[in-house]
Amino acid sequence: MEKKNIYADYAATSPVSEKVLRVMLPYFTENFGNPSGVHRVSRTAAKAVAEARRKIASAIGADFSEIYFTSGGTEADNWALSLAKGKKIVTANVEHKAVLTCCKALEKAGTVVTYLPVNRDGFVTAKQVEAAIDSETALVSVMYANNEIGTVMPIEEIAEICRKKGVLFHTDAVQAIGNLPVDVKRQKIDMLSCSGHKIGAPKGIGFLYVCKGTPIESLIKGGNQEFGLRAGTENVPAIVGLGEALKLACENQKNNSEYVRELRDKLIDGLLKITDVRLNGSCENRLCGNVNVSFSGVESEAVLLMLDAEGICASGGSACTTGDDEPSHVLTAIGVDKEYLNGTIRFTLSSMNTTDEIDYIIEKTSEIIKRLRKIRGI
Ligand code: PLP
């Protein structure tokens, strides 16, 4: 097979789509206004921010006044968790570092955090959440879908328990939006984090949905932007891009995920034919584009470099954990055996991938694993 150029790391980030770029461009140049002003240049920018907010609210079933733009998923998570400072939080031990590191910092400030363990597929159950809630619990934060192994959490059941117990429910939906349906009212979500760069918007933009009446306080203090709760001049082009990208992602969610799921299953079938391999995460409740496999007897870094040399971009765990010497906290939490732990590869697909690309990935990965094992005499 002739060498290709394949991107299979969409959970790390995605390109800004042509359509999104086109709607953003005027807001860098002729429509450059600061939305806080009163003149027409400002009013044009303010109108564009309002339109983006409206598109997002409508796509996720929220009200206009419940969407707060942030610098991305990390800030949205930090902001949501800050609500429980000094009280009690219940979360899962497989959350993204944006949640876990923030929880560690909050613990230093006197917050009590319960990190629920997951089962071998990466799930926490509503029952576990229910048992962990006590009269001082202020917030439950459980991600909609895991960024490493793709496990989709039972967030509706968890949200139901939280409502019943009168505890706020936050979900990090960074990996879920565009891949799974989101309807915050129906799903009883009180706060939801989203990041633009996973769905074809630029990096450095996201939002936090906060249900009306939730006693959130500002994290970033200064001017009166974002209904007085998130200071700083708005990143207008990025906000406009996020509005368009989210609208498109939600409109196409069903069709795209059906197509991507077929690619994913083909890739999983092909990779599982390699010897001494295991699939990490759930077979059933799994993000449509996520394939996370571990091979014994190889180091993921070597596999990734060789895949890259063949034109395939994949990752070892999450992009945010690159540089960590520690094995992935998610793989450790689901109990991946030591012999497999260091040989983990994550391919994450989108509707931009093709069947031919999947054939190529399977062929090259099989060759690479064989070659590396041969070098080690396995
Ligand atoms: N939460 C999850 C589940 C993620 O996958 C990521 C990014 O990888 C983040 C939060 C952080 O989002 P951002 O890069 O926009 O700060």
Side-chain angles (χ1 to χ4, degrees), residues 11-12 71-75 77 95-99 143 145-147 172-175 194-198 204-206 318-320 346:
S71 63
T74 302
E75 185 190 326
D77 285 342
E95 294 289 317
H96 189 272
K97 292 263 165 108
V99 166
M143 68 202 318
N146 188 271
N147 48 302
D172 174 336
V174 167
Q175 296 290 341
C194 170
S195 168
H197 70 102
K198 315 288 184 179
I205 190 71
S318 67
C320 305
R346 181 189 73 172

Side-chain angles (χ1 to χ4, degrees), residues 84-199:
K85 191 172 177 181
K87 300 175 192 149
K88 279 192 176 174
I89 298 175
V90 174
T91 190
N93 65 355
V94 292
E95 294 289 317
H96 189 272
K97 292 263 165 108
V99 166
L100 292 180
T101 310
C102 181
C103 282
K104 293 284 168 212
L106 286 169
E107 279 181 305
K108 286 192 187 136
T111 310
V112 177
V113 185
T114 303
Y115 301 92
L116 296 174
V118 294
N119 70 9
R120 285 191 79 82
D121 283 340
F123 293 113
V124 289
T125 63
K127 265 209 171 107
Q128 280 176 281
V129 172
E130 184 167 25
I133 291 175
D134 68 22
S135 59
E136 281 157 57
T137 307
L139 182 70
V140 169
S141 179
V142 175
M143 68 202 318
Y144 197 160
N146 188 271
N147 48 302
E148 289 193 43
I149 55 172
T151 300
V152 179
M153 295 289 197
I155 60 149
E156 289 179 27
E157 288 167 38
I158 293 171
E160 190 74 53
I161 293 292
C162 292
R163 237 348 114 84
K164 204 175 82 189
K165 296 257 181 187
V167 173
L168 292 169
F169 175 60
H170 164 253
T171 191
D172 174 336
V174 167
Q175 296 290 341
I177 290 203
N179 291 316
L180 291 162
V182 176
D183 182 339
V184 289
K185 302 292 173 200
R186 186 185 61 73
Q187 294 174 307
K188 300 188 172 69
I189 298 167
D190 297 304
M191 290 187 285
L192 173 143
S193 303
C194 170
S195 168
H197 70 102
K198 315 288 184 179
I199 55 166

Side-chain angles (χ1 to χ4, degrees), residues 307-344:
L307 283 170
D308 188 31
E310 297 289 356
I312 301 166
C313 300
S315 87
S318 67
C320 305
T321 51
T322 305
D324 281 4
D325 286 335
E326 295 292 308
S328 144
H329 68 283
V330 177
L331 298 177
T332 309
I334 62 169
V336 175
D337 293 341
K338 231 174 159 187
E339 53 175 314
Y340 284 93
L341 205 51
N342 294 329
T344 301

Side-chain angles (χ1 to χ4, degrees), residues 75 79 98 158 169 173 208 222 266 269 317 339 355 378:
E75 185 190 326
W79 193 8
I158 293 171
F169 175 60
L208 180 66
K266 182 175 166 61
D269 285 349
E339 53 175 314
T355 315
I378 302 170

